[in-house]
Amino acid sequence: DSPWAATGIRCTNKNCLYLSVWRKDGQEDTIEVPLPIPAGTKVEVMCKYPCKLPVEYSYNRENSTLRITLPEQNTARFFQIDF
């Protein structure tokens, strides 16, 4: 059983993704999520919920991955990714 879970949907009428990420248990506080976006594409990533709790994230344009760090176990975040 993985200590992380993620699920996403792609918008049909514009270039965006919605991604939910859960850190369940385990010691690793960081995950890299591959995204179905062509390498090199400029993106804008926004944490939409919860907005005021700690989260670090960065998008790697070279390999189309989103790196997310959640400092606490049993937490989740919801992201909007425009490209």
Side-chain angles (χ1 to χ4, degrees):
D1 191 32
S2 175
W4 288 86
T7 189
I9 58 172
R10 186 174 185 154
C11 305
T12 57
N13 59 348
K14 60 181 181 173
N15 288 334
C16 79
L17 301 169
Y18 294 109
L19 176 70
S20 295
V21 178
W22 293 267
R23 179 182 175 195
K24 297 186 285 186
D25 52 12
Q27 298 303 311
E28 290 294 321
D29 65 352
T30 300
I31 186 172
E32 287 193 9
V33 179
L35 300 176
I37 299 172
T41 302
K42 183 180 177 182
V43 303
E44 180 180 4
V45 179
M46 297 159 281
C47 182
K48 300 302 271 186
Y49 186 82
C51 300
K52 297 181 182 180
L53 295 178
V55 61
E56 294 179 23
Y57 56 92
S58 62
Y59 180 71
N60 183 325
R61 288 172 65 177
E62 293 179 12
N63 63 9
S64 300
T65 58
L66 181 61
R67 182 179 176 93
I68 303 162
T69 301
L70 293 174
E72 296 182 32
Q73 293 179 346
N74 301 308
T75 56
R77 298 295 182 274
F78 180 75
F79 295 91
Q80 178 178 333
I81 304 154
D82 293 326
F83 58 98

